[in-house]
Amino acid sequence: TISKAADDLELDTYVIGGFVRDLLLDRGNHKDIDVVAVGSGILLAKKVSKLLLHTPKVQVFKNYGTAMLRDGDLEIEFVGARKESYSYDSRNPVVEDGTLEDDQNRRDFTINTLALSLNGKDFGNILDPFNGLKDLNSQIIRTPLDPDITYSDDPLRMLRAIRFATQLNFTIEPKSLKAITRNKDRIQIISRERITDELNKILLTEKPSVGFALLHKTGLLPLILPQLTALEGIEEVEGQRHKDNFWHTLEVVDNIAPHTDDLWLRWAALLHDIGKAPTKKFHKKIGWTFHGHEFMGAKMVYQLFKNLRLPLNEKMKYVQKLVLMSSRPIVIADEKVTDSAVRRLVFDAGDDIEDLMTLCEADITTKNPNRFKKYHNN
Ligand code: ATP
């Protein structure tokens, strides 16, 4: 139908971006389809709707020059090909009409620039001016423009690069990785909501540690989740060492991934030890201790969820409970615990939660994180 509408209106029209990428990767069926027309995307959307018997509703976003057509669980976004230019203090570009190539040029990664023609004259042809197909084959995340420009223009792309590398198990081109490191401070102009969206997507992959290790390597992690970075390192006093709780945490998150797709359980795994950095002490007689880290951790979850604009409701309480149950439930009965709200949470927690945490702590490397780290240096 889109092809017919495009031909009727004599508009060069393409499917572009994630749908084409995932089609070629044979990666599930994409429910979001992005259609770009060299001309008016809104006009095309309206025509498509008219050609369909049930004339589905078209939602027009005039300010953005886009239109959305929903059909069942399919969401098709129509946009006119555009050219973008950025100013330093915003990720919202100034937009003007452009050619297909201008539109491909404005996209984040070469694998997301692939355009599949919908017009009768060359239906199914792929237009690939940036060698996206080659990068798709060699599993590389590369930017169409100079990466310093791409990331500085819209710093959200730094997180998108890391997210795609994690989801697709691709490698970020070294030049791009260096540019992310150089531009990391630009992340400050990105809203918390968008950052959290990307973190959630990383957490929901098969091996979230890939993403967190990249965030760590590029220096983005301390800007986003300093509580996690604070867990890194092993201290030694009088020959006694403790484990590296940062690398340990990443391993826990990977361990739990095959057992659950529950986002909140995965957050709990990520945060289960965050109370350890501020509670760490060395005692001459007993060595390293992290007394009360569970409670500290539960309180930190609240602050962190607030900062990241994650919901401060039942979901947060669930994560707090998991953090509280994460290590030694015995401490929970400690009489010294005075924070009654936190205490109540603990006693409300069911056995199932304890089981899950035991499960994800199982088979973890302890004092030697090198085995795990090595994997991330490849
Ligand atoms: P997924 O649906 O898995 O997130 P996607 O590639 O469809 O993947 P969207 O966020 O829906 O991701 O974006 C659709 C397309 O729009 C991308 O493939 C890319 O071409 C372009 N795009 C999205 N966000 C940006 C951005 N910040 N900078 C440049 N291009 C972008």
Side-chain angles (χ1 to χ4, degrees):
T1 310
I2 302 176
S3 299
K4 168 137 186 27
D7 282 348
D8 284 359
L9 294 173
E10 293 179 15
L11 281 176
D12 284 344
T13 299
Y14 309 85
V15 186
I16 198 162
F19 181 86
V20 184
R21 179 197 70 223
D22 288 347
L23 184 77
L24 293 167
L25 286 175
D26 210 2
R27 227 178 134 254
N29 50 342
H30 231 265
K31 297 280 179 247
D32 307 330
I33 305 181
D34 294 300
V35 172
V36 55
V38 185
S40 168
I42 298 176
L43 215 65
L44 179 63
K46 288 183 174 163
K47 179 80 181 173
V48 172
S49 169
K50 258 191 224 146
L51 288 178
L52 289 166
L53 278 179
H54 55 298
T55 53
K57 219 176 150 225
V58 176
Q59 210 178 344
V60 175
F61 305 95
K62 242 192 173 154
N63 293 345
Y64 296 99
T66 63
M68 173 80 87
L69 192 150
R70 283 197 185 81
D71 201 5
D73 55 357
L74 213 57
E75 283 191 354
I76 311 176
E77 186 169 323
F78 293 84
V79 57
R82 57 180 57 181
K83 200 175 164 162
E84 292 181 341
S85 45
Y86 287 83
S87 61
Y88 191 73
D89 53 356
S90 165
R91 64 175 292 266
N92 298 320
V94 177
V95 170
E96 57 187 303
D97 291 346
T99 61
L100 173 70
E101 193 152 334
D102 289 330
D103 200 277
Q104 287 172 298
N105 213 19
R106 77 179 172 91
R107 294 183 181 262
D108 46 7
F109 308 113
T110 58
I111 58 165
N112 286 344
T113 63
L114 298 168
L116 184 104
S117 172
L118 291 179
N119 294 101
K121 58 178 189 230
D122 57 354
F123 188 89
N125 266 8
I126 290 184
L127 284 91
D128 177 23
F130 299 107
N131 282 324
L133 286 172
K134 188 166 154 257
D135 291 339
L136 209 57
N137 273 322
S138 15
Q139 308 193 306
I140 298 281
I141 307 284
R142 198 164 59 83
T143 58
L145 300 174
D146 175 341
D148 275 299
I149 297 173
T150 299
Y151 295 123
S152 173
D153 275 354
D154 176 2
L156 180 67
R157 294 168 182 160
M158 302 191 283
L159 295 184
R160 286 175 57 89
I162 292 174
R163 187 251 294 183
F164 283 123
T166 317
Q167 280 180 327
L168 307 174
N169 203 10
F170 276 29
T171 308
I172 300 177
E173 179 203 37
K175 201 169 130 194
S176 216
L177 204 60
K178 284 193 194 119
I180 296 179
T181 309
R182 268 195 298 275
N183 287 282
K184 61 178 188 298
D185 294 314
R186 299 272 297 141
I187 200 72
Q188 264 130 16
I189 69 165
I190 303 300
S191 77
R192 291 275 122 188
E193 288 81 355
R194 295 217 179 243
I195 292 176
T196 305
D197 270 354
E198 296 301 325
L199 289 178
N200 286 342
K201 286 183 182 169
I202 291 172
L203 267 178
L204 287 171
T205 60
E206 252 172 67
K207 240 189 182 26
S209 68
V210 172
F212 287 98
L214 285 169
L215 290 171
H216 175 65
K217 189 171 181 174
T218 52
L220 280 166
L221 196 64
L223 303 172
I224 301 172
L225 289 170
Q227 302 85 343
L228 270 192
T229 313
L231 295 176
E232 202 200 1
I234 301 176
E235 261 189 85
E236 185 169 329
V237 178
E238 295 174 7
Q240 300 210 52
R241 290 152 67 83
H242 59 79
K243 70 182 171 203
D244 185 312
N245 283 306
F246 174 68
W247 292 99
H248 159 82
T249 291
L250 297 201
E251 201 168 8
V252 171
V253 178
D254 280 2
N255 272 0
I256 206 166
H259 298 289
T260 178
D261 289 332
D262 183 320
L263 176 65
W264 306 106
L265 196 46
R266 289 184 177 207
W267 267 107
L270 186 72
L271 304 181
H272 82 287
D273 268 349
I274 51 168
K276 281 194 171 166
T279 54
K280 182 167 94 175
K281 284 199 179 68
F282 184 80
H283 291 276
K284 272 198 162 5
K285 280 188 189 139
I286 35 177
W288 291 104
T289 66
F290 303 90
H291 280 318
H293 82 83
E294 297 89 344
F295 300 100
M296 178 66 85
K299 286 185 196 168
M300 288 167 78
V301 167
Y302 176 81
Q303 259 318 317
L304 207 140
F305 268 43
K306 209 165 133 189
N307 286 342
L308 289 176
R309 312 253 199 284
L310 281 159
L312 292 180
N313 54 22
E314 292 308 311
K315 302 277 168 29
M316 181 212 44
K317 284 191 188 164
Y318 176 61
V319 174
Q320 282 186 316
K321 280 181 198 178
L322 287 161
V323 168
L324 279 162
M325 302 299 284
S326 65
S327 297
R328 274 169 287 278
I330 307 146
V331 185
I332 291 159
D334 191 328
E335 308 228 321
K336 276 179 267 173
V337 179
T338 50
D339 188 330
S340 61
V342 175
R343 277 185 76 155
R344 231 178 300 123
L345 269 179
V346 181
F347 292 114
D348 288 349
D351 293 347
D352 51 332
I353 287 174
E354 200 173 343
D355 289 349
L356 280 166
M357 264 302 162
T358 315
L359 186 76
C360 77
E361 281 273 19
D363 300 322
I364 305 291
T365 40
T366 51
K367 293 195 175 166
N368 180 5
N370 288 335
R371 179 174 71 83
F372 191 61
K373 255 182 175 166
K374 215 165 76 193
Y375 166 78
H376 290 289
N377 288 332
N378 288 338

